[in-house]
């Protein structure tokens, strides 16, 4: 039995790969929201395919962390966790996109669900900015905004029409959401 190294991953590429993972996640989020806002639901399946690219970048990042993490990073566990969470977010956008596309569901631009979706996307972008340009004020904003979004999301469940709640929360998403 001969074991050969068939793929070489340069750990110096981690920073650009990690940034790409972040940006792919944001692209998925904004692509999904943009298609919904424009009523171009036929694009959602193509947007969902972007998650496969995100998975490749995610797995490459994890491989670098697992292989060189203790030499390369101050805190490899933090990067590992962030990579996992970004991949989870990408999965959620994929599930939302596919669910809406397959069930031919639509939202009005005045929909509270759509406005909430916009706020979640803004929060993702804000976190990206915070990660690369640390500012204590932005950190506090993110913490407070997260609490506000959780509270408004829970109250929205009580006021949004039943049909919209059912349309907006496919079983795969509802099972993976944690507060």
């Amino acid at each position: 039995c001969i074991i050969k190294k068939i793929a070489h991953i340069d750990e110096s590429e981690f920073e650009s790969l990690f940034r790409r993972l972040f940006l792919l996640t944001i692209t998925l989020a904004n692509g999904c929201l943009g298609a919904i806002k424009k009523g171009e639901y036929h694009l959602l399946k193509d947007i969902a395919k972007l998650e496969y690219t995100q998975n490749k970048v995610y797995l490459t990042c994890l491989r670098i962390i697992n292989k060189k993490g203790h030499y390369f990073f101050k805190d490899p566990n933090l990067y590992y966790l962030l990579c996992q969470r970004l991949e989870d977010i990408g999965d959620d956008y994929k599930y939302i996109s596919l669910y809406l596309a397959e069930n031919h569901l639509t939202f009005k631009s005045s929909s509270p669900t759509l406005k909430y979706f916009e706020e979640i996307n803004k929060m993702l972008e804000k976190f990206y900015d915070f990660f690369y340009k640390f500012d204590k004020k932005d950190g506090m904003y993110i913490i407070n905004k997260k609490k506000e979004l959780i509270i408004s999301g829970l109250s929205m469940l009580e006021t949004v029409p039943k049909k919209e709640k059912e349309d907006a929360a496919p079983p795969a998403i509802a099972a993976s959401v944690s507060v």
Side-chain angles (χ1 to χ4, degrees):
C1 178
I2 299 173
I3 298 174
K4 290 185 177 182
K5 186 176 183 179
I6 58 171
H8 174 70
I9 296 175
D10 186 358
E11 60 269 2
S12 67
E13 294 178 27
F14 178 81
E15 187 61 38
S16 65
L17 285 168
F18 183 71
R19 187 179 291 266
R20 185 170 179 213
L21 179 62
F22 242 124
L23 293 173
L24 281 167
T25 307
I26 291 169
T27 301
L28 261 165
N30 290 333
C32 183
L33 179 62
I36 293 168
K37 284 172 110 176
K38 293 177 184 173
E40 296 174 336
Y41 292 87
H42 62 282
L43 297 177
L44 290 171
K45 284 187 180 182
D46 290 333
I47 291 166
K49 290 178 186 175
L50 183 59
E51 193 267 340
Y52 296 113
T53 303
Q54 187 213 30
N55 283 345
K56 289 178 188 177
V57 175
Y58 159 72
L59 291 171
T60 304
C61 286
L62 291 189
R63 184 161 184 229
I64 292 171
I65 293 168
N66 286 330
K67 198 170 177 186
K68 300 287 184 176
H70 54 290
Y71 297 114
F72 196 58
F73 303 106
K74 204 178 212 179
D75 189 356
N77 295 331
L78 172 67
Y79 279 95
Y80 199 93
L81 181 64
L82 284 171
C83 288
Q84 284 183 316
R85 293 299 166 244
L86 288 170
E87 199 278 331
D88 289 343
I89 292 167
D91 284 346
D92 289 340
Y93 280 105
K94 175 184 77 173
Y95 297 140
I96 290 168
S97 295
L98 292 175
Y99 184 81
L100 293 174
E102 289 169 4
N103 292 290
H104 309 289
L105 303 175
T106 60
F107 290 94
K108 296 176 184 166
S109 61
S110 63
S111 162
T113 304
L114 192 56
K115 290 181 182 185
Y116 189 73
F117 200 164
E118 289 172 348
E119 289 296 314
I120 297 293
N121 283 14
K122 286 178 191 173
M123 186 71 159
L124 179 60
E125 290 176 4
K126 189 74 164 171
F127 185 73
Y128 170 81
D129 293 338
F130 173 72
F131 185 81
Y132 285 103
K133 296 176 201 153
F134 180 81
D135 180 358
K136 201 172 187 178
K137 287 180 187 175
D138 287 343
M140 291 308 297
Y141 171 83
I142 289 169
I143 290 168
N144 292 327
K145 188 65 173 179
K146 176 187 172 192
K147 290 176 187 176
E148 179 186 313
L149 287 170
I150 290 170
I151 291 168
S152 68
L154 291 173
S155 70
M156 186 174 62
L157 286 173
E158 296 172 12
T159 59
V160 168
K162 183 179 178 189
K163 175 72 174 140
E164 193 166 307
K165 281 189 279 192
E166 291 168 357
D167 292 350
I173 300 295
S176 70
V177 173
S178 62
V179 177

